[in-house]
Amino acid sequence: MTAQLPYPYIYADIPHLTEVCTNLVSNAVKYTGAGGTIRCGITQKPGEKEGWCDTVVTVADNGIGMSQEFQKHIFEPFERERTSTVSKVEGSGIGMGIVKKLVGLMGGAVEVESKIGVGSTFTVTIPCRIASEDEIQAKREINPSDQKCLCGTRILLTEDNDLNAEIATELLQEEGCTVDRAKDGVECVDMLEKAANGTYQLILMDVQMPVMNGYDATKKIRRMDDPQKANIPIVAMTANAFSEDKQVALDAGMNDHIAKPINMSVLVPTLRKYL
């Protein structure tokens, strides 16, 4: 790993950035054979706005590479080069879909250069606000590291979209959570009913789902005979952050409400309130 950082203190979305780097490195390892080389680098350059910089992360390998045609689709969910199957390399390719979405959430861009038999280089550019040492110290004092840890928390994630579920699961696992997924409200209610008491500490509930939406699932859970299950904390996930959406969630019996796409700096404190 090479590093030349003219701006040692920046504001960055660490969980999202960590997930991006993990996926890129895992992808490089998967498609680079024994004896191959993987190089990771991080640099910074002045940003477009005053007080901002661009943090540039590169992951380069000399693995099997990709065709020009496939590079046009590499960031689409579940895409994988046909030659990878021939090479006995397993994997769905969903990691690159996650990378594209997470980079977009951070306002950045991701590019790839690749050639069959030569290797691939992924470049991620993330705009970051420059911070001072005093700001960082003040933030550490406000947010001490001994805050309630989420490690060991088991969450029932109810989300019908595969990519959104994959991203949420990865980010929650980074915080030490164990995540089980239900694909709709009916499956969520069924999993909670069948689980032993105390299996789940909290439910993250998407509200717009087929079969049974999050509001109806919550109402059904609140009417369960078992008081421990009926009172499990439920946090709504919606595409909007309007106050009326939060009120609808509360009226349905949910404890709280967060907007999608998930922002871990909002979700983690919200989860801590109920654990």
Side-chain angles (χ1 to χ4, degrees):
M1 172 72 80
T2 59
Q4 297 175 355
L5 305 179
Y7 310 104
Y9 302 104
I10 59 172
Y11 288 96
D13 188 332
I14 298 302
H16 282 172
L17 194 55
T18 299
E19 189 60 29
V20 166
C21 292
T22 299
N23 273 289
L24 289 178
V25 172
S26 297
N27 189 71
V29 170
K30 186 183 299 182
Y31 296 111
T32 304
T37 301
I38 298 170
R39 300 186 312 277
C40 304
I42 179 169
T43 58
Q44 290 173 329
K45 58 185 181 182
E48 294 182 3
K49 296 185 291 185
E50 185 176 352
W52 288 68
C53 69
D54 285 341
T55 298
V56 182
V57 176
T58 57
V59 177
D61 65 66
N62 61 356
I64 63 176
M66 296 174 285
S67 65
Q68 291 296 315
E69 180 60 29
F70 182 72
Q71 290 175 54
K72 300 174 184 177
H73 308 285
I74 179 64
F75 297 112
E76 296 173 8
F78 305 108
E79 286 294 332
R80 186 181 62 189
E81 180 75 286
R82 182 168 25 175
T83 54
S84 65
T85 305
V86 177
S87 304
K88 309 299 182 185
V89 178
E90 297 180 354
S92 66
I94 192 172
M96 292 301 102
I98 290 179
V99 165
K100 179 73 171 180
K101 190 156 188 174
L102 292 181
V103 169
L105 291 178
M106 293 184 284
V110 56
E111 299 174 341
V112 60
E113 292 182 12
S114 186
K115 189 174 181 181
I116 293 287
V118 176
S120 305
T121 298
F122 287 86
T123 303
V124 174
T125 303
I126 306 293
C128 300
R129 187 159 70 85
I130 299 169
S132 68
E133 187 172 5
D134 290 341
E135 285 179 296
I136 298 300
Q137 185 57 41
K139 188 171 180 65
R140 285 173 179 162
E141 291 172 0
I142 294 172
N143 299 300
S145 58
D146 61 352
Q147 283 186 331
K148 189 173 182 180
C149 179
L150 298 181
C151 294
T153 302
R154 191 165 184 176
I155 291 175
L156 178 53
L157 171 68
T158 309
E159 166 65 71
D160 66 302
N161 182 280
D162 289 338
L163 182 57
N164 289 342
E166 181 78 9
I167 291 173
T169 298
E170 295 275 3
L171 294 174
L172 288 165
Q173 288 175 344
E174 288 286 332
E175 295 292 332
C177 300
T178 299
V179 181
D180 290 342
R181 178 197 174 192
K183 292 187 176 181
D184 56 55
V186 170
E187 189 172 358
C188 171
V189 173
D190 184 60
M191 289 174 68
L192 183 62
E193 283 181 332
K194 291 179 179 177
N197 272 346
T199 299
Y200 300 111
Q201 285 74 59
L202 184 140
I203 297 176
L204 265 179
M205 183 84 77
D206 187 24
V207 297
Q208 293 182 322
M209 295 179 293
V211 186
M212 180 186 289
N213 66 40
Y215 300 130
D216 291 339
T218 297
K219 292 174 183 176
K220 194 161 186 177
I221 290 169
R222 295 304 184 221
R223 293 195 298 267
M224 283 184 175
D225 294 333
D226 188 315
Q228 188 171 355
K229 292 179 179 178
N231 293 310
I232 188 171
I234 301 176
V235 175
M237 299 184 295
T238 74
N240 300 310
F242 302 120
S243 58
E244 56 264 33
D245 293 308
K246 184 168 185 177
Q247 192 57 52
V248 171
L250 295 175
D251 291 343
M254 295 172 168
N255 299 83
D256 219 317
H257 165 282
I258 63 165
K260 297 198 313 184
I262 288 176
N263 182 338
M264 292 304 284
S265 64
V266 175
L267 177 59
V268 171
T270 301
L271 297 183
R272 285 189 177 126
K273 287 194 294 184
Y274 302 103
L275 299 174

